């Protein structure tokens, strides 16, 4: 039963609307700073092998079919039909979609329709601030409009997310910045930015985090060495949030640490230490592929079972949604099922904990059964 449990994907992104050639597909599959090694492709990764294992049967092919054969079948079906078959093969019943990435990606309603599921939006704080800054000519209007935009998002979103805050140590400081400090930072940002310019100022990021905390919606923070670091990622990113976690305890806002690899054990410790802190592994399981069970077991050694959530972190390719879901189920079955098989756990307890991680914890944290 563990292998067939339904999922709530508590952090993911839309999929590309356009047909993809081999090179474009591989670029989405690899997401590294450079090309693959000479004579190889990005299919020569754990993620690539997992795509070839789990996705071809959903398109009417045998598992482990060649990349060329798989992509030929994908083109034959067309991007819409292939995406529909793949997303409906994930077993995801609810997608929580971070809409803050650039590119021609499907919106929450589109991914819900394609996947025959529900979908809700996660609002990315940095993008929200950038959009507000594009239409605000003064410091006063920027700060007023930003406060309004954050609170207006509460009516439609299930959570906020920040991808940049933990890249700047002072952004996650344990108290909000003062109003004079915020106004000065806003003035510097407005004076130096172009339309669409990214927000990296640690004072404004810190102001955004605390504005979001005041709404009571869950706050997701990227805590791992994701591709955005490009080799310039500070060590122990998850550990640096301990002060922020302590300061936000008891305020009514849950904090979810996203995609913690290789700092997943640090993130799990924080989830154990603070009642309002949660953790997921995201695309780490897809990246580790056949070794995903080992990574999952490491987190389960430290994080309380009610603090771990499933997410794929998938973006661009519907195949990554499939791989995230299938590898997660397989890892859970191997770890929890293995503990039940050797008598360490009762089978009923293994099933109950598996369902908590797969969907129950997310439904509770995001109030999905209340909407």
């Amino acid at each position: 039963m563990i292998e067939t449990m339904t999922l709530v994907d508590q952090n993911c992104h839309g999929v590309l609307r356009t047909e993809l050639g081999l090179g474009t597909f591989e670029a989405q599959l690899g997401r590294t700073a450079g090309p693959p090694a000479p004579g190889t492709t990005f299919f020569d990764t754990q993620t690539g092998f997992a795509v070839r294992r789990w996705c071809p049967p959903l398109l009417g092919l045998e598992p482990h079919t060649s990349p060329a054969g798989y992509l030929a079948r994908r083109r034959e079906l067309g991007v819409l039909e292939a995406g529909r078959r793949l997303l409906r093969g994930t077993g995801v019943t609810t997608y929580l979609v971070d809409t803050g990435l650039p590119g021609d990606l499907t919106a929450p309603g589109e991914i819900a329709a394609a996947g025959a599921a529900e979908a809700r939006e996660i609002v990315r704080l940095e993008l929200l601030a950038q959009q507000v800054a594009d239409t605000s000519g003064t410091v006063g209007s920027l700060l007023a409009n930003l406060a309004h935009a954050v609170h207006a998002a509460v009516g439609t979103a299930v959570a906020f997310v920040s991808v940049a805050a933990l890249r700047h140590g002072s952004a996650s400081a344990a108290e909000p910045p003062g109003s004079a400090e915020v106004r000065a930072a806003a003035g510097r940002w407005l004076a130096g930015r172009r339309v669409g310019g990214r927000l990296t100022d640690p004072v404004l990021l810190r102001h955004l985090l605390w504005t979001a905390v005041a709404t009571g919606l869950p706050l997701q923070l990227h805590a791992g060495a994701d591709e955005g670091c490009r080799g310039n990622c500070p060590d122990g990113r998850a550990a640096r949030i301990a002060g922020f976690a302590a300061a936000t305890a008891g305020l009514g806002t849950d904090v979810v640490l996203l995609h913690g690899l290789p700092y997943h054990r640090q993130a799990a410790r924080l989830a154990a230490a603070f009642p309002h802190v949660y953790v997921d592994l995201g695309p780490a399981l897809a990246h580790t592929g056949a070794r995903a069970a080992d990574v999952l077991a490491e987190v389960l050694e430290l994080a309380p079972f009610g603090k771990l959530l499933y997410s794929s972190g998938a973006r661009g390719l519907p195949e990554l949604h499939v791989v995230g879901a299938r590898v997660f189920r397989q890892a859970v079955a191997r770890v929890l099922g293995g503990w039940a098989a050797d008598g360490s756990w009762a089978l009923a307890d293994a099933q109950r904990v598996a369902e908590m991680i797969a969907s129950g914890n997310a439904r509770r944290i995001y109030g999905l059964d209340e909407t």
Side-chain angles (χ1 to χ4, degrees), residues 22-45 48:
L22 177 61
T24 307
F25 187 94
E26 286 191 24
Q28 293 291 324
L29 189 63
R31 294 203 172 278
T32 64
T40 71
T41 76
F42 284 127
F43 276 98
D44 294 322
T45 60

Side-chain angles (χ1 to χ4, degrees), residues 324-340:
R326 297 298 181 95
V327 172
F328 168 77
R329 283 198 191 87
Q330 187 179 61
V332 170
R334 288 180 176 174
V335 176
L336 301 189
W339 293 343

Side-chain angles (χ1 to χ4, degrees), residues 50-351:
V51 165
R52 291 177 54 211
R53 165 61 183 92
W54 297 111
C55 296
L58 297 175
L59 304 188
L61 299 172
E62 291 296 318
H64 309 296
T65 192
S66 69
Y70 176 77
L71 291 177
R73 176 59 173 163
R74 202 180 191 274
R75 288 191 297 271
E76 178 184 348
L77 290 171
V79 65
L80 294 178
E81 177 62 14
R84 186 187 70 84
R85 292 191 186 193
L86 290 164
L87 291 173
R88 294 187 182 192
T90 62
V92 172
T93 59
T94 306
Y95 296 95
L96 305 188
V97 184
D98 175 357
T99 56
L101 289 180
D104 187 23
L105 300 176
T106 52
E110 295 173 278
I111 197 170
E118 298 179 354
R120 300 291 300 277
E121 183 181 15
I122 301 168
V123 171
R124 185 171 292 208
L125 290 170
E126 292 86 356
L127 179 63
L128 187 67
Q130 289 156 200
Q131 292 170 336
V132 167
D134 287 342
T135 58
S136 300
T138 66
V139 168
S141 64
L142 170 62
L143 297 178
N145 293 341
L146 186 57
H148 175 77
V150 170
H151 288 278
V154 175
T156 58
V158 293
F160 292 105
V161 63
S162 173
V163 69
L166 293 183
R167 296 179 190 166
H168 303 275
S170 59
S172 54
E175 67 281 329
S179 58
E181 191 179 5
V182 172
R183 290 186 65 86
R188 291 193 301 270
W189 189 43
L190 282 179
R193 78 186 294 273
R194 293 176 293 180
V195 172
R198 297 175 63 187
L199 174 60
T200 59
D201 185 278
V203 173
L204 289 181
L205 287 170
R206 185 169 145 212
H207 173 66
L208 267 177
L209 290 183
W210 282 95
T211 302
V213 166
T215 70
L217 279 189
L219 175 60
Q220 299 181 347
L221 299 175
H222 279 249
D226 59 68
E227 68 276 3
C229 294
R230 298 297 187 193
N232 188 31
C233 183
D235 290 339
R237 187 189 293 182
R240 297 193 315 176
I241 202 174
F244 181 76
T248 53
L251 298 183
T253 296
D254 290 323
V255 175
V256 184
L257 303 183
L258 299 177
H259 317 344
L261 195 74
Y263 314 123
H264 52 293
R265 293 179 66 85
Q266 293 170 299
R269 287 192 184 96
L270 291 175
F274 296 100
H276 66 305
V277 175
Y278 297 80
V279 64
D280 81 357
L281 282 167
L285 295 184
H287 292 164
T288 50
R291 296 297 302 273
D294 297 326
V295 177
L296 177 63
E298 289 181 348
V299 171
L300 289 172
E301 290 173 359
L302 298 168
F305 306 137
K307 295 298 201 74
L308 180 60
L309 301 92
Y310 166 73
S311 81
S312 68
R315 57 183 289 188
L317 299 178
E319 284 83 356
L320 298 180
H321 287 269
V322 173
V323 167
R326 297 298 181 95
V327 172
F328 168 77
R329 283 198 191 87
Q330 187 179 61
V332 170
R334 288 180 176 174
V335 176
L336 301 189
W339 293 343
D342 69 15
S344 298
W345 282 30
L347 181 59
D349 285 332
Q351 181 66 40

